[in-house]
């Protein structure tokens, strides 16, 4: 939440709560860190039928807070962690390019959208301008982009599921984030599905 | 996360709950979905782990209404150490919040102000709407503002401050 959007009263209230919480924050505990690491490692080595589940974890770097243990776990998978990464990245790049082209055309059409009866703007619009088609263009563009995102998402999920490895593959996530960055904000938020994270 | 769990009940059990949270998160990584933040997902797990733990060990259900707020704080059954800690000025506000707020209000307040989580993400953790989260935070602030003023006489009175939109 942006602090600048808060009222002064709310900001004072927030500061008081945060100040007390920070003063009370527990220190990093090496023993707790080791305990969490060992517990996760033991969970990973439980026989689940998946080869990746039997892979032992390397020792994570020291100094990580306990809250970063999960991130550390996923960042230290074996070197051959994801054989399909280049293919996924290539697909992600291609999809991002496609979505960017679609979004750019959509934005371009909206920009030259001429209100009825304004010949000056209509003349400057060029052959791509189509007054009255903005909504249809938007729907078409959003449909294409949505399909592209969904297809990419399915591709990533399938590739990762085949590896039985953490869905937190940072390369794929970075590619998806880059894709979202190329979409208009309202389209990106509309495609960011509203369903809550599953347990 | 440990801090969050410590405030929700006995500090001694917080480490156990933290371990269970991370193990559960690891074994259920396949269920994590982008674009939700990983921290949102992790806090969702942590909250439910702590709720299930206290329901299992103390046989109480977590209240949602303000009228049952005291039961939630009492159900945590702090020991002498925790009681002393809560009387410590460093935990005063949050300890009092646990006594006068419902579990959902307390969680919303913590996630929004301490973890700096947007209301949309808080709503995902609590499994409710953004409007509900804003209402919770607003009501919680109305209840706690007098305490904040106690700690700081120069704090302005809470008149009609509303939860800001993001």
């Amino acid at each position: 939440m942006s602090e600048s959007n808060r009222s002064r009263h709310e900001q004072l209230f927030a500061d008081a709560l945060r100040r007390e919480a920070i003063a009370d924050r527990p220190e990093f505990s090496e023993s707790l860190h080791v305990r969490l690491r060992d517990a996760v490692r033991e969970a990973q080595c439980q026989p689940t039928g998946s080869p990746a589940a039997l892979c032992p974890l390397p020792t994570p770097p020291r100094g990580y807070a306990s809250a970063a243990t999960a991130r550390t776990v996923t960042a230290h998978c074996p070197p051959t962690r994801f054989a399909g990464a280049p293919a996924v990245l290539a697909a992600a790049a291609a999809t991002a390019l496609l979505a960017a082209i679609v979004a750019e055309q959509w934005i371009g059409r909206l920009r030259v959208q001429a209100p009825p009866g304004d010949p000056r703007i209509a003349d400057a619009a060029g052959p791509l301008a189509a007054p009255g088609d903005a909504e249809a263009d938007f729907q078409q563009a959003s449909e294409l982009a949505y399909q592209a995102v969904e297809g990419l998402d399915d591709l990533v999920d399938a590739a990762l599921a085949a590896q039985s490895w953490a869905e937190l593959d940072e390369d794929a996530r970075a590619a998806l984030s880059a894709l979202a960055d190329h979409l208009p904000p309202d389209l990106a938020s509309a495609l960011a599905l509203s369903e809550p994270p599953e347990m | 996360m440990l801090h969050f769990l410590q405030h929700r009940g006995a500090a001694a059990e917080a480490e156990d709950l933290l371990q269970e949270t991370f193990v559960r998160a690891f074994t259920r990584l396949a269920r994590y979905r982008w674009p939700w933040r990983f921290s949102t997902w992790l806090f969702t797990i942590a909250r439910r782990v702590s709720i299930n733990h206290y329901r299992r060990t103390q046989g109480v259900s977590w209240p949602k209404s303000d009228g049952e707020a005291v039961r939630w704080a009492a159900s945590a059954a702090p020991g002498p150490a925790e009681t002393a800690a809560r009387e410590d000025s460093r935990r005063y506000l949050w300890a009092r919040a646990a006594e006068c707020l419902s579990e959902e209000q307390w969680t919303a307040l913590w996630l929004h102000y301490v973890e700096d989580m947007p209301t949309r993400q808080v709503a995902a953790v609590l499994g409710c709407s953004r409007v509900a989260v804003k209402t919770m935070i607003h009501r919680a602030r109305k209840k706690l503002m007098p305490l904040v003023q106690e700690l700081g006489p120069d704090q302005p009175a809470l008149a009609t401050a509303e939860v800001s939109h993001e």
Side-chain angles (χ1 to χ4, degrees):
Chain A
M1 159 133 191
S2 169
E3 292 192 354
S4 63
N5 291 337
R6 288 178 177 160
S7 66
R8 183 164 160 263
H9 294 170
E10 188 184 357
Q11 189 59 50
L12 290 170
F13 178 79
D15 289 344
L17 288 179
R18 187 177 293 128
R19 199 163 42 239
E20 188 178 284
I22 290 174
D24 188 44
R25 184 169 291 173
E27 298 291 327
F28 171 76
S29 168
E30 181 69 28
S31 59
L32 178 60
H33 172 75
V34 170
R35 175 182 170 182
L36 294 175
R37 182 197 66 195
D38 292 344
V40 171
R41 183 175 295 178
E42 184 179 341
Q44 190 199 32
C45 292
Q46 291 294 327
T48 62
S50 167
L54 300 177
C55 173
L57 286 172
T59 304
R62 293 175 62 83
Y64 270 54
S66 59
T69 298
R71 189 165 62 243
T72 303
V73 164
T74 59
H76 285 81
C77 276
T80 55
R81 57 181 183 150
F82 185 42
V88 171
L89 285 179
T95 307
L97 182 60
L98 171 64
I101 292 172
V102 167
E104 197 172 318
Q105 286 210 343
W106 168 70
I107 292 172
R109 290 188 181 190
L110 284 185
R111 280 182 183 157
V112 299
Q113 180 67 47
D118 192 332
R120 295 173 301 171
I121 298 177
D123 288 343
L128 291 180
D133 287 344
E135 190 166 344
D137 289 344
F138 173 76
Q139 287 182 353
Q140 184 182 20
S142 62
E143 185 65 32
L144 283 173
Y146 183 84
Q147 289 173 2
V149 171
E150 242 195 3
L152 175 63
D153 205 30
D154 291 342
L155 178 63
V156 170
D157 283 350
L160 292 178
Q163 293 288 332
S164 296
W165 190 55
E167 271 66 18
L168 291 177
D169 181 86
E170 293 187 3
D171 295 334
R173 295 299 166 207
L176 289 173
S177 295
L179 172 62
D181 287 342
H182 283 89
L183 297 177
D186 53 345
L187 183 58
S189 62
L191 293 176
L193 303 175
S194 61
E195 61 183 72
E198 296 178 37
M199 285 282 297
Chain B
M1 177 100 14
L2 177 64
H3 200 192
F4 171 72
L5 291 170
Q6 283 177 339
H7 273 271
R8 291 173 68 80
E13 296 172 329
E15 294 188 1
D16 296 335
L17 297 179
L18 183 66
Q19 175 179 324
E20 186 176 343
T21 298
F22 275 103
V23 169
R24 189 173 291 204
F26 182 80
T27 55
R28 289 167 170 75
L29 269 176
R31 297 187 186 183
Y32 169 72
R33 286 290 179 267
W34 181 85
W36 294 98
R37 291 186 197 174
F38 186 68
S39 61
T40 302
W41 188 63
L42 210 55
F43 272 106
T44 303
I45 297 175
R47 176 177 174 254
R48 295 190 185 179
V49 162
S50 65
I51 288 174
N52 291 339
H53 170 76
Y54 289 114
R55 182 183 295 151
R56 205 168 45 236
T57 59
Q58 300 181 23
V60 294
S61 58
W62 291 85
K64 289 189 176 182
S65 65
D66 294 355
E68 298 180 356
V70 178
R71 276 187 56 209
W72 169 56
S75 70
E82 281 81 17
T83 302
R86 288 183 177 183
E87 290 173 353
D88 186 338
S89 60
R90 291 180 302 170
R91 283 197 175 193
Y92 176 69
L93 272 179
W94 286 106
R96 292 297 300 274
E99 293 170 3
C100 66
L101 301 178
S102 67
E103 185 271 333
E104 284 187 328
Q105 289 176 332
W106 188 96
T107 303
L109 218 61
W110 182 276
L111 294 178
H112 188 60
Y113 288 122
V114 179
E115 304 297 338
D116 212 22
M117 199 177 278
T119 53
R120 177 170 168 264
Q121 305 280 347
V122 176
V125 174
L126 296 178
C128 61
S129 66
R130 285 182 67 185
V131 172
V133 169
K134 292 184 178 182
T135 304
M136 285 180 209
I137 293 175
H138 177 71
R139 289 178 179 171
R141 195 166 61 242
K142 279 185 71 176
K143 286 185 181 179
L144 292 178
M145 201 59 195
L147 301 178
V148 174
Q149 290 176 303
E150 275 182 33
L151 295 178
D154 56 340
Q155 299 281 348
L158 177 68
T160 56
E162 296 176 353
V163 176
S164 302
H165 296 283
E166 296 143 43

